[in-house]
């Protein structure tokens, strides 16, 4: 990302030099890199929203009362099936993922 930003800043500097409006070498490549980076960043933002804002369903190890309930991201055991609802954490203490039971 930092490398792309440096390239874009260099491009902007070259574009602002006279003669104005001329084509700057590498325009297409920079625009393609910027587009790909924005797509990746948008995808990562959606994943982070799912994990920390919307929440993710926990993984149940089984149906017995002593079977554990795991965080879907880090697999940390956050509770057991026989824990009361108010005892179960809303977020994973290990990675911070919002948990949906």
């Amino acid at each position: 990302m930092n490398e792309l930003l440096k390239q874009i800043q260099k491009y902007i500097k070259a574009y602002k030099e006279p003669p104005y409006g001329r084509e700057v070498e590498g325009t297409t490549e920079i625009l393609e890199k910027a587009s790909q980076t924005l797509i990746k960043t948008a995808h990562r933002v959606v994943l982070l929203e799912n994990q920390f804002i919307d929440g993710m369903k926990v993984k149940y190890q089984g149906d017995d009362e002593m079977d554990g309930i795991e965080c879907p991201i880090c697999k940390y055991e956050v509770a057991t099936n026989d824990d009361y609802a108010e005892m179960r954490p809303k977020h994973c203490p290990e990675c911070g993922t919002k948990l949906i039971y």
Side-chain angles (χ1 to χ4, degrees):
M1 178 75 91
N2 289 334
E3 184 61 34
L4 176 61
L5 289 172
K6 288 177 187 175
Q7 289 177 347
I8 291 173
Q9 288 169 347
K10 243 170 101 175
Y11 171 83
I12 291 169
K13 186 178 177 182
Y15 189 78
K16 287 184 175 180
E17 292 176 3
Y20 300 112
R22 67 180 167 86
E23 185 174 333
V24 177
E25 186 177 330
T27 301
T28 305
E29 292 81 7
I30 290 174
L31 289 175
E32 286 176 357
K33 282 183 189 177
S35 173
Q36 291 169 357
T37 302
L38 285 172
I39 290 169
K40 286 179 187 176
T41 303
H43 181 67
R44 288 178 181 154
V45 167
V46 168
L47 293 175
L48 289 171
E49 284 178 349
N50 287 340
Q51 183 176 354
F52 296 108
I53 296 172
D54 300 334
M56 301 182 82
K57 291 186 179 184
V58 295
K59 305 273 185 190
Y60 292 91
Q61 294 176 346
D63 295 331
D64 294 338
E65 65 276 351
M66 292 305 292
D67 285 336
I69 301 172
E70 296 179 340
C71 170
I73 299 297
C74 69
K75 309 298 185 225
Y76 180 80
E77 188 172 304
V78 293
T80 60
N81 285 335
D82 66 341
D83 289 343
Y84 294 111
E86 55 272 359
M87 293 172 61
R88 297 176 178 176
K90 292 180 179 15
H91 295 86
C92 176
E94 199 66 23
C95 69
T97 299
K98 184 176 179 180
L99 304 171
I100 300 173
Y101 294 92

